[in-house]
Each structure stands twice: as structure tokens, then as C-alpha cells.
């Protein structure tokens, strides 16, 4: 995904009547809490700069008059119904660049927990007698349904990363994703390691990019940005076991946000 974007976005081109054209942006939401859209709306100091660089033409939470002539689509949420499949395919067909934003869209997130259970039983528990009216399917990431040009991780996404990625796209570049463990950002912030405070954290196997915000406030990382490409699961499991966590507790830590990236714990519990 990183590198030159498939279609360079051109800023300042003249359109009809000599007016300067800006790249057009659409923001869309599927199954999610819509927190990533709120992060965009909460850009505050950067919002005027963003509006000066792009034209937002489709954003349900922000504007009433919506169009489908967007160049870039930011897509939040996981895909869980047949209607969402059709809609995200239509968005992919229109957008030059599609960016999946947030844990639900990039790794399945909390929504994917339902994939660990029988779907019919889950629907019955959630919707009761009305379950037949909700055509819910197993949770999928956006990239499981359509090609994705870039993934912006996190629950929610990070504002600083959002600005950086948007700037790169405007320059015609697809940014490189982070391949450093979260622990590197804890060190940069001079955080005291949570293990020294008696708190178990799985930051050593998690993709950085959030500024280690949870550990900075004393909360363990729960891997909402997903695992590194080559996480050292064996060492992570051994550390958690040494701190007294049961197999079920270790599994919960590893799957809370990452059910679509299952970890086989059998090799670590042979005796």
C-alpha cells in the first residue's frame, strides 16, 4: 500500500469558469460507534487548514448537501450486512483513493467479537424475536471486501496521524505505516513501564502511532491499532503467564480488538 498513490491528487487546478479546484473528500461510516468521524470534526486548530486544502462533498455528520464526485474516501466501520457490502463497493468504484479509518475498518475491532460465537445465537440474544429483520453477517474488515489504499488504525484514529496522512495524500504519496512497537513511543514519552506498576500490557506486540496515549494515563494497551507484522507472540504469552494470567485471560487480551487475527495458544500450554 505505501508509496506513490495510484492517482496523484492535483491541487489548484482550474475548473470551469477559472475557479480553482481542490481535491474532493468523502467521509463514510459503516458498523461502528462513529468515533473516528468525531475525531475529524474535532480537528479544531487544523480544521480551517483542512477545509482550505480539500472540498468535503460527502460527510453525513457534517453537511446536509452530499455529492458522490469525491476523489478520496475515508471509510469508517466494519462491514457486517449485505447492504454495506454493496455500498462500500460503490464507494470504491467512485473514489481514486480509499482510506480505511479506525479499528473497526482496519482490524475488525470490537465488532469482530461476534465472529467468535454462533451468529444465529448472537442475533437472537441482541435482537430477540426481531432477529430476522436484521441481516447481520460475520464482521469483515474493509479490505476483506474492496481494495484499500491505506489503513489508519486506532480506536479512535489519532488526530496528528490524520493530519499527516491527509497531507501525504495531497502530495500524491501513500505514507509508510508504522512498524515499531508501542513500547518505543512509551520510551519517547518517558513513561514508566506499566509492568513496573504491576499492570499487564501487550504494547510490545502492538503497532505504534497513537503516541502511547493509554499507557501515558496508566491504562494498559489493548491493541486497538492491531499487531505488528511479525509480533513475538511467544515472548508476549510467556510474560503474561509469568504475571499470573490464565489462558482465558491471555486469550481475551489478544482478541479483544483482534478476533480476525486469531492467535493459536496451544503451543504455549502443552502441560
Amino acid at each position: 500500500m505505501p508509496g506513490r498513490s495510484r492517482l496523484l491528487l492535483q491541487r489548484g487546478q482550474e475548473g470551469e469558469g477559472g475557479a480553482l479546484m481542490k481535491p474532493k473528500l468523502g467521509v463514510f461510516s459503516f458498523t461502528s460507534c462513529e468515533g473516528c468521524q468525531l475525531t475529524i470534526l474535532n480537528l479544531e486548530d487544523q480544521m480551517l487548514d483542512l477545509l482550505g486544502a480539500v472540498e468535503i462533498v460527502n460527510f453525513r455528520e457534517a453537511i446536509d448537501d452530499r455529492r458522490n464526485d469525491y476523489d478520496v474516501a475515508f471509510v469508517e466501520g466494519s462491514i457486517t450486512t449485505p447492504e454495506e457490502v454493496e455500498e462500500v463497493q460503490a464507494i470504491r468504484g467512485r473514489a481514486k483513493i480509499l482510506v480505511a479509518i479506525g479499528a473497526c475498518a482496519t482490524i475488525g475491532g470490537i465488532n469482530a467479537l461476534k465472529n467468535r460465537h454462533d451468529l444465529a445465537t448472537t442475533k437472537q440474544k441482541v435482537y430477540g424475536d426481531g432477529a430476522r429483520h436484521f441481516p447481520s453477517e460475520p464482521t469483515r474488515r474493509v479490505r476483506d471486501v474492496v481494495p484499500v489504499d491505506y489503513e489508519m488504525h486506532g480506536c479512535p484514529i489519532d488526530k496528528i496521524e490524520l493530519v499527516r496522512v491527509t497531507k501525504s495524500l495531497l502530495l500524491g504519496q501513500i505514507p509508510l505505516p508504522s512498524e515499531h512497537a508501542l513500547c518505543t513511543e512509551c520510551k519517547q514519552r518517558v513513561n514508566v513501564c506499566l509492568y513496573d506498576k504491576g499492570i499487564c500490557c501487550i504494547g510490545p506486540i502492538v503497532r505504534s502511532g497513537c503516541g502511547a496515549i493509554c499507557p501515558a494515563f496508566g491504562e494498559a494497551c489493548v491493541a486497538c491499532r492491531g499487531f505488528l507484522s511479525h509480533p513475538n507472540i511467544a515472548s508476549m504469552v510467556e510474560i503474561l503467564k509469568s504475571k499470573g494470567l490464565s489462558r482465558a485471560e491471555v486469550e481475551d487480551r489478544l482478541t479483544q480488538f483482534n478476533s480476525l487475527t486469531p492467535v493459536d495458544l496451544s503451543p504455549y500450554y502443552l502441560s
Side-chain angles (χ1 to χ4, degrees):
M1 289 187 290
R4 195 77 172 173
S5 67
R6 294 183 299 113
L7 292 170
L8 179 65
L9 298 176
Q10 297 289 346
R11 298 182 60 189
Q13 286 185 314
E14 286 191 359
E16 294 182 4
L20 291 179
M21 297 175 62
K22 295 181 288 188
K24 301 180 183 66
L25 174 67
V27 182
F28 304 92
S29 179
F30 293 98
T31 301
S32 65
C33 69
E34 303 195 352
C36 292
Q37 292 186 82
L38 292 177
T39 298
I40 297 174
L41 293 174
N42 287 334
L43 279 175
E44 299 167 346
D45 293 341
Q46 298 87 4
M47 180 56 78
L48 290 179
D49 290 337
L50 175 66
L51 294 177
V54 303
E55 179 184 3
I56 297 177
V57 299
N58 200 319
F59 190 171
R60 178 175 52 79
E61 286 199 4
I63 59 177
D64 293 326
D65 296 327
R66 298 190 289 273
R67 313 196 315 254
N68 288 324
D69 58 335
Y70 39 85
D71 301 301
V72 179
F74 283 176
V75 176
E76 174 193 41
S78 42
I79 308 303
T80 64
T81 69
E83 290 78 10
E84 290 183 340
V85 171
E86 293 181 5
E87 188 175 351
V88 77
Q89 288 174 338
I91 292 169
R92 174 69 276 186
R94 299 184 189 109
K96 297 173 182 175
I97 296 173
L98 189 150
V99 180
I101 61 171
C104 297
T106 61
I107 59 174
I110 295 295
N111 293 332
L113 286 173
K114 75 173 183 180
N115 291 17
R116 300 172 62 184
H117 306 279
D118 175 73
L119 182 59
T121 302
T122 301
K123 287 174 61 177
Q124 184 64 34
K125 286 185 176 179
V126 174
Y127 302 115
D129 294 338
R132 67 183 184 283
H133 300 299
F134 296 89
S136 180
E137 296 181 342
T139 296
R140 285 186 282 176
R141 297 160 289 209
V142 173
R143 72 170 184 268
D144 294 331
V145 182
V146 296
V148 169
D149 296 293
Y150 190 75
E151 292 180 330
M152 210 178 328
H153 300 281
C155 181
I157 55 173
D158 180 76
K159 287 199 294 187
I160 295 175
E161 184 178 25
L162 170 63
V163 172
R164 178 175 60 81
V165 169
T166 303
K167 286 180 178 177
S168 295
L169 294 176
L170 291 173
L171 293 171
Q173 298 290 327
I174 300 294
L176 292 170
S178 169
E179 273 302 327
H180 299 292
L182 187 76
C183 296
T184 60
E185 292 184 332
C186 259
K187 292 294 184 183
Q188 290 171 347
R189 294 185 67 141
V190 200
N191 289 341
V192 175
C193 181
L194 292 182
Y195 280 96
D196 291 338
K197 298 180 178 180
I199 300 173
C200 292
C201 176
I202 58 173
I205 59 171
V206 174
R207 180 186 294 114
S208 65
C210 61
I213 186 169
C214 291
F217 286 92
E219 295 292 336
C221 174
V222 292
C224 73
R225 295 182 61 84
F227 299 138
L228 295 165
S229 298
H230 303 286
N232 191 337
I233 297 294
S235 292
M236 190 73 260
V237 171
E238 288 304 316
I239 290 172
L240 295 174
K241 287 170 64 178
S242 72
K243 299 301 179 182
L245 269 65
S246 67
R247 177 171 179 167
E249 290 172 326
V250 172
E251 184 174 14
D252 286 345
R253 300 264 177 148
L254 297 179
T255 58
Q256 181 178 353
F257 274 86
N258 293 277
S259 293
L260 299 185
T261 311
V263 175
D264 180 12
L265 293 178
S266 300
Y268 315 116
Y269 291 90
L270 296 177
S271 58

